[in-house]
Amino acid sequence: MEIPVFIVDAFTNLPFKGNPAAVCPLLHELQDDMYQKIAAEMNLSETAFIIRLNSKDDFSSGARFRLRWFSPTNEVPLCGHATLASAAVLFYKKKNVNAKVVFETLSGELYVQQKGESIVMEFPLNKPTPLGLNEFKDIVNAAVGDQPVLEVCLCGTTKKLMVRLADTCDRSVLTSLQPDPAVLLRVNTGGRVRGLIVTMIGAPGCQPGYDFYSRNFSPWFGIPEDPVTGSAHTVLAGYWSEKLGKKKMLAYQCSSRGGELELELRDDGRLNIAGQAVTVLQGILTV
């Protein structure tokens, strides 16, 4: 069996930046173990599978598809950068003619559309709940050491723990963090946390004017650090919107690859996430 595969760098307009995802357009569903084997073989933070729902549709004309995301170790319920990469394959490589495409996913229906040089994704908004600074202190210490922490929040929906560094911290504090994945796994065994976000206020007065910065660590999904994470920004957007009093924000994820996300809180309580994408590889998997 031959399966087409694309590797797309998401949330960037430059090759080898942003977050790479593998995308496989499929004419029909595979067995679950095959999805996982392919994702493990690709060994990227996520591999996305676009599955045709109607046998009369093709990837150029169809407006509704199933979308599934797999890390190297398991299926994940929500992934932003692989959704952006999947939309880029449909719009740029398959020349999909529809103004808007719908993905049926484990997180419900996700809408994507082109807007200039970007792709806009409509996502759920997952606002986190503040916690005491001593709650999950072992994870926090493993993540940031003795750096000053202003707030700790947890999003129960996504199981992401968000740690906000004090405003006195320079961006270099965030970029220099090197949490040990093995330590994070050892100190968090209860299952309430499956992802760790470290964030800090940005510098909107400087060009290009980022409202906040972040990094994202997911050793619980086999991903020591995810370079640019759309799902994490469903948590960050609600938090920073309230703190900054803004519905439109520009965010930067400070991994070594780096990536930029445009965020807009919608009036219907959902979130628009926009970004660019670059295809760097196209080929065939033989399985």
Side-chain angles (χ1 to χ4, degrees):
M1 179 170 56
E2 293 187 337
I3 297 174
V5 61
F6 301 81
I7 293 182
V8 182
D9 291 341
F11 294 117
T12 181
N13 61 356
L14 298 172
F16 317 124
K17 294 290 186 180
N19 199 353
V23 179
C24 296
L26 302 174
L27 296 178
H28 51 78
E29 289 270 14
L30 305 174
Q31 293 186 350
D32 275 3
D33 65 333
M34 183 58 70
Y35 290 114
Q36 194 60 70
K37 287 176 181 177
I38 292 172
E41 184 76 10
M42 300 310 297
N43 199 32
L44 296 172
S45 56
E46 264 82 27
T47 296
F49 298 90
I50 311 171
I51 303 127
R52 188 179 61 170
L53 292 173
N54 189 332
S55 61
K56 296 180 181 179
D57 286 338
D58 58 31
F59 293 107
S60 300
S61 63
R64 179 178 290 268
F65 301 91
R66 180 169 292 114
L67 183 64
R68 300 178 70 177
W69 311 279
F70 286 77
S71 81
T73 59
N74 53 272
E75 187 168 11
V76 297
L78 182 64
C79 179
H81 83 279
T83 302
L84 178 60
S86 299
V89 168
L90 289 179
F91 289 136
Y92 303 152
K93 295 299 178 180
K94 300 297 184 179
K95 306 299 181 184
N96 192 283
V97 299
N98 295 284
K100 182 178 287 189
V101 170
V102 185
F103 290 133
E104 295 183 5
T105 79
L106 288 178
S107 292
E109 293 184 342
L110 303 179
Y111 296 82
V112 295
Q113 60 184 313
Q114 295 185 74
K115 184 178 180 182
E117 295 181 350
S118 296
I119 292 171
V120 181
M121 307 178 290
E122 180 192 319
F123 267 44
L125 187 64
N126 296 306
K127 188 177 175 182
T129 301
L131 303 173
L133 291 180
N134 288 327
E135 202 160 351
F136 296 108
K137 63 180 181 179
D138 291 340
I139 303 177
V140 175
N141 288 338
V144 304
D146 58 1
Q147 297 296 338
V149 171
L150 185 61
E151 196 165 12
V152 176
C153 301
L154 177 67
C155 176
T157 304
T158 63
K159 296 187 177 181
K160 291 185 183 293
L161 186 71
M162 192 203 80
V163 179
R164 177 181 174 183
L165 296 174
D167 294 349
T168 53
C169 291
D170 185 79
R171 175 174 158 176
S172 62
V173 172
L174 179 61
T175 57
S176 64
L177 295 177
Q178 293 183 315
D180 186 332
V183 174
L184 289 174
L185 288 171
R186 187 174 69 247
V187 300
N188 173 47
T189 57
R192 287 180 66 196
V193 174
R194 300 284 285 169
L196 173 66
I197 306 166
V198 184
T199 187
M200 63 178 293
I201 198 165
C206 303
Q207 291 299 321
Y210 296 116
D211 291 290
F212 62 89
Y213 304 115
S214 68
R215 289 176 68 190
N216 187 74
F217 306 95
S218 299
W220 303 276
F221 286 105
I223 308 164
E225 179 170 8
D226 204 13
V228 195
T229 322
S231 60
H233 283 80
T234 68
V235 178
L236 288 161
Y239 174 85
W240 282 111
S241 175
E242 183 177 282
K243 298 298 181 182
L244 300 174
K246 302 176 72 171
K247 286 194 171 183
K248 291 185 178 181
M249 294 169 289
L250 186 63
Y252 189 78
Q253 193 159 326
C254 299
S255 65
S256 59
R257 294 176 64 102
E260 184 177 286
L261 307 92
E262 299 174 59
L263 308 170
E264 182 176 2
L265 276 71
R266 298 162 52 101
D267 292 337
D268 62 3
R270 290 174 67 81
L271 173 69
N272 282 347
I273 303 177
Q276 298 185 48
V278 180
T279 300
V280 295
L281 182 147
Q282 179 175 345
I284 298 292
L285 282 172
T286 303
V287 297

